[in-house]
Amino acid sequence: MDGAMYREILANNLLPSVRALKMGRGWVFQHDNDPKHTARATKEWLRKKHLKSQSVLQTGDVDGAKRLGRLSLMLSCIAMFLGVAVIIFIVVTEGILKLK
């Protein structure tokens, strides 16, 4: 899909939906940073239609998601390590109890 097709989809779907839902002017159209969404022609089309738009993902959002992903990985590793430690503890203590 290219920018022209994207704008055609917006014209054929977005605008009629906004009218049908009687949304007025108090809404913002969100999209991601795909090149066809951020193309100069698309931005101009949105401006001519008096549509407010914004990109959903800003650079800070991606960095934050990466940090959360690393934190999640670290916590998962710690949980696995503690789980293995508990299993080893149980096996060792049961072995000691059986020897008595």
Side-chain angles (χ1 to χ4, degrees):
M1 178 188 324
D2 61 3
M5 181 183 279
Y6 177 67
R7 290 185 297 278
E8 183 180 335
I9 290 169
L10 292 178
N12 293 334
N13 296 284
L14 176 66
L15 296 178
S17 295
V18 168
R19 287 185 202 108
L21 294 169
K22 298 178 181 158
M23 293 175 64
R25 297 206 178 265
W27 58 277
V28 176
F29 177 65
Q30 292 187 331
H31 53 91
D32 60 22
N33 286 327
D34 189 279
K36 62 186 154 286
H37 303 166
T38 59
R40 185 177 300 141
T42 300
K43 288 180 181 179
E44 182 65 19
W45 185 88
L46 291 166
R47 189 189 64 73
K48 284 182 181 179
K49 299 294 181 184
H50 305 286
L51 299 176
K52 294 181 216 166
S53 70
Q54 71 180 26
S55 175
V56 175
L57 290 177
Q58 302 297 332
T59 304
D61 294 336
V62 173
D63 292 338
K66 286 180 182 178
R67 281 194 302 276
L68 286 175
R70 285 192 296 269
L71 177 62
S72 175
L73 178 63
M74 182 181 71
L75 291 174
S76 295
C77 291
I78 290 170
M80 285 189 296
F81 174 77
L82 290 174
V84 169
V86 167
I87 291 170
I88 291 171
F89 175 78
I90 291 170
V91 168
V92 168
T93 54
E94 283 187 8
I96 291 172
L97 291 175
K98 285 182 182 180
L99 291 176
K100 288 184 178 182

